[in-house]
Amino acid sequence: MAKESPAFKIKNVNLPIFIAHVLTPDLDLFKRQMTAQLAQAPAFFASTPMALGLGAVAEDGTIPDFADLAAFMRGLGTQLIGVVGGSEAQRQAASQAGLGLFPDTGPRPRLAPVEPAEPEPAAAASEAGTAPQAAPNESLPLPFPDLPLDPASPETVEPVPEIQAGTVRTTLVIDKPIRAGQRVYAADANLIVLAVVNAGAELIADGDIHVYAPLRGRALAGARGNAGARIFTLSLEAELVSIAGVFQVFEHGIPDAVRAKPAQVYLEGEQVVLRPLPPMR
Amino acid sequence: MAKVIVVTSGKGGVGKTTTSASFASGLALRGNKTVVIDFDVGLRNLDLIMGCERRVVFDIINVINGDAALNRALIKDKHCDNLFVLPASQTRDKDALSLDGVGKIIDELKESFDCIVCDSPAGIEHGAFSAMYYADEALVVTNPEVSSVRDSDRILGILAAKSKRAVEGLEPVKEHLLVTRYNTGRVAAGEMLSVDDIQEILRIPLLGVIPESESVLQASNSGTPAIHLDKSDVAEAYKDLVARFMGEEVPMRFVTAEKASLFKRLFGGR
């Protein structure tokens, strides 16, 4: 008898979804602001999967009515698919309401102190600001929202607040050239590239970026706000480098001390620093 | 096993069609039963370069739509008995090139041909995509200037990510670099990128260098693939290219400027 052909294949993938971090136990307030927020870009959020981040309300003992929240979100055109973090009781309630349970992504969502004077920049606003777009045709693993880069004003781009300093990251290793038009995003990971990264290519990592070949395209490390992230390359020829949203372009060329040399890029305060790597011997 | 080879570049005007015609002719001259397909629907040119434009009755879109059988659309080349041309449609638009339809044609051609050469249109749109999708090997045509190199880089990225071989996780498309319109004098003067510069960026094996030559234009206008031009640099370079493609070791010519030695300058030519 003929063997049945396989009906499915289970694969582990990283899909981009949005997290709506719940910052208040007041669900009426949450609903009102969410309605206003999603109304600004209804088409963009249409049928978009979204998870609720419960880190900020885990301690206060409230148990939201998840079935009601899911119905409410569906009414706005997005699908709640699960919760991230939260207390044991909250997670149990979410599970009973048919939501998936994601492990916590960190102790709690910390809002990046971009402007120390201001108490708390609104999380939702910054997410909407980095208008995501459809996956470019041949980006390697994942699409990533374009950071609003304006070469004319090398200012701080407000990072999406989700910092995991001190946590162990996985590493995405790529051994083929990254070519013009290609984009690689190492979500919540470090990125190691063992082949050339050409002009017009873009590397993005939530952690560090290592390029053991010439780096000629763009490299954005610490994309979700990790100011401790660094970029290392055997030959710095980049079009743009960015750490935690602070970026630098090289309109007048890369400084001689590091140009086409082994170098690292890191953040000192609000300043992108380019340093040659120490000689091997 | 039949091989599908796409001739592609990203940028227009670098010599894809000229190369497709000469490369396919060269393969046929070496005894491979070869077909060359024009994928530039709406802007067909290959038939002109091959000098068969007056014999086009049916085209690739007719075959895809089932208006004509494949063997009725194939045009036999006037120079080589074992070379055929499948012309593009002049009147349809590129969307008529369905990926399934192209796949069926290529499968059918594989049954009777050794080499299937796909002449890609410029750009990275649908036509270029359908030309490269089924490729086993790619001849990436690049001129020695930065924009052409950048576009070739882009095409290489697409080949590595979106070709059938990439999508199905098979062995990747085998990539070959062909530098055309190479002018050693201008390279020496720093006006053009050198082959080394290009390879430093693209990092794929060099299969050939075609020198810049006015005879290419004459060949195109007379409907004769440049490889048939007797004793021209271009014909020699294309023959070298085909030989290397067939696995022969042929030293790279036309890469360094001929340095006229004192002796030569005193006593003239060779």
Side-chain angles (χ1 to χ4, degrees):
Chain A
M1 210 177 101
K3 216 177 135 201
E4 274 196 348
S5 58
F8 57 82
K9 226 193 256 182
I10 292 185
K11 289 211 167 175
N12 177 21
V13 295
N14 290 310
L15 298 173
I17 62 166
F18 288 99
I19 296 184
H21 288 292
V22 183
L23 304 178
T24 170
D26 181 349
L27 292 184
D28 289 333
L29 181 67
F30 173 88
K31 285 182 181 177
R32 195 167 68 241
Q33 289 188 6
M34 184 61 79
T35 308
Q37 177 74 36
L38 296 198
Q40 289 173 12
F44 174 68
F45 287 102
S47 309
T48 308
M50 195 178 284
L52 282 184
L54 301 179
V57 294
E59 307 291 311
D60 67 15
T62 55
I63 297 184
D65 182 346
F66 288 107
D68 173 59
L69 272 181
F72 162 75
M73 295 297 279
R74 204 156 40 241
L76 295 179
T78 77
Q79 292 282 353
L80 267 196
I81 57 166
V83 296
V84 179
S87 69
E88 210 35 59
Q90 287 169 340
R91 289 171 72 81
Q92 210 173 355
S95 176
Q96 274 164 11
L99 295 179
L101 303 178
F102 295 100
D104 207 343
T105 53
R108 52 170 289 165
R110 187 158 76 78
L111 297 169
V114 177
E115 305 254 349
E118 271 180 36
E120 278 196 349
S126 79
E127 284 208 1
T130 58
Q133 43 176 235
N137 39 13
E138 64 281 355
S139 71
L140 287 169
L142 268 186
F144 187 77
D146 262 328
L147 294 171
L149 300 174
D150 176 5
S153 60
E155 301 284 333
T156 304
V157 175
E158 194 176 333
V160 177
E162 194 152 309
I163 297 183
Q164 304 187 31
T167 57
V168 177
R169 291 181 194 279
T170 51
T171 299
L172 175 63
V173 180
I174 292 186
D175 58 2
K176 294 193 185 65
I178 315 285
R179 301 187 178 280
Q182 289 184 310
R183 178 190 277 180
V184 176
Y185 173 40
D188 198 24
N190 298 313
L191 176 58
I192 295 182
V193 184
L194 299 170
V196 67
V197 177
N198 273 344
E202 189 167 60
L203 304 180
I204 306 168
D206 292 338
D208 302 320
I209 295 176
H210 301 248
V211 180
Y212 298 105
L215 167 58
R216 298 178 179 139
R218 303 167 147 220
L220 298 86
R224 280 193 289 172
N226 180 4
R230 294 188 180 207
I231 299 167
F232 305 87
T233 176
L234 291 185
S235 181
L236 184 65
E237 303 165 34
E239 296 170 314
L240 173 152
V241 291
S242 160
I243 306 287
V246 184
F247 67 89
Q248 177 157 0
V249 289
F250 304 102
E251 209 182 331
H252 305 292
I254 297 173
D256 284 344
V258 288
R259 189 179 61 234
K261 294 190 175 75
Q264 62 167 323
V265 181
Y266 57 93
L267 211 52
E268 245 176 37
E270 292 291 291
Q271 192 70 42
V272 174
V273 181
L274 313 170
R275 284 274 181 277
L277 292 178
M280 274 194 286
R281 64 192 78 214
Chain B
M1 183 61 193
K3 262 185 200 169
V4 182
I5 309 122
V6 62
V7 179
T8 184
S9 71
K11 194 167 162 61
V14 296
K16 281 182 299 297
T17 302
T18 299
T19 295
S20 296
S22 286
F23 180 64
S25 300
L27 290 171
L29 287 172
R30 285 176 161 259
N32 300 289
K33 194 173 179 202
T34 303
V35 56
V36 53
I37 310 177
D38 189 352
F39 276 84
D40 207 345
V41 171
L43 291 169
R44 80 171 197 228
N45 280 162
L46 181 68
D47 52 326
L48 288 171
I49 307 283
M50 304 283 297
C52 64
E53 72 278 8
R54 290 174 191 280
R55 290 189 284 151
V56 175
V57 181
F58 298 111
D59 57 51
I60 186 169
I61 303 298
N62 293 135
V63 178
I64 287 176
N65 292 344
D67 307 332
L70 178 57
N71 57 12
R72 295 195 64 196
L74 292 176
I75 302 171
K76 194 169 168 187
D77 180 57
K78 59 186 180 188
H79 297 281
C80 312
D81 282 345
N82 53 355
L83 174 60
F84 291 82
V85 180
L86 180 55
S89 170
Q90 188 70 284
T91 49
R92 311 297 185 89
D93 69 286
K94 287 181 207 280
D95 297 336
L97 268 181
S98 73
L99 218 48
D100 278 353
V102 173
K104 277 185 196 134
I105 290 179
I106 290 195
D107 282 344
E108 199 177 333
L109 290 171
K110 274 183 174 175
E111 286 169 19
S112 48
F113 285 91
D114 304 316
C115 298
I116 300 165
V117 178
C118 302
D119 180 21
S120 171
I124 52 174
E125 309 304 324
H126 182 72
F129 178 60
S130 37
M132 73 164 62
Y133 185 74
Y134 293 99
D136 302 310
E137 307 201 21
L139 211 51
V140 177
V141 183
T142 305
N143 284 172
E145 46 108 5
V146 281
S147 63
S148 174
V149 175
R150 168 81 62 97
D151 291 358
S152 294
D153 193 47
R154 182 99 166 85
I155 281 288
L156 283 164
I158 297 174
L159 270 168
K162 292 189 81 184
S163 64
K164 182 161 185 278
R165 282 175 171 270
V167 172
E168 293 181 356
L170 304 172
E171 183 138 323
V173 176
K174 196 169 170 191
E175 301 153 340
H176 307 280
L177 175 62
L178 174 64
V179 179
T180 55
R181 302 209 163 148
Y182 199 66
N183 181 326
T184 49
R186 295 186 67 187
V187 171
E191 296 167 14
M192 276 186 175
L193 295 178
S194 71
V195 167
D196 288 344
D197 294 338
I198 298 170
Q199 269 193 294
E200 160 65 17
I201 297 169
L202 296 181
R203 302 191 173 211
I204 60 173
L206 179 69
L207 195 67
V209 176
I210 311 295
E212 187 170 49
S213 165
E214 293 184 0
S215 52
V216 171
L217 185 64
Q218 296 160 13
S220 300
N221 288 339
S222 67
T224 309
I227 196 168
H228 295 303
L229 297 176
D230 262 354
K231 299 196 182 90
S232 73
D233 284 3
V234 175
E236 292 299 308
Y238 274 119
K239 283 175 189 160
D240 285 2
L241 168 78
V242 174
R244 282 184 211 108
F245 185 80
M246 302 294 293
E248 287 172 26
E249 294 264 340
V250 181
M252 210 54 83
R253 295 193 272 173
F254 316 110
V255 174
T256 42
E258 292 250 331
K259 283 201 192 91
S261 66
L262 180 64
F263 194 74
K264 258 190 202 165
R265 269 185 278 154
L266 284 176
F267 299 103
R270 255 181 274 196

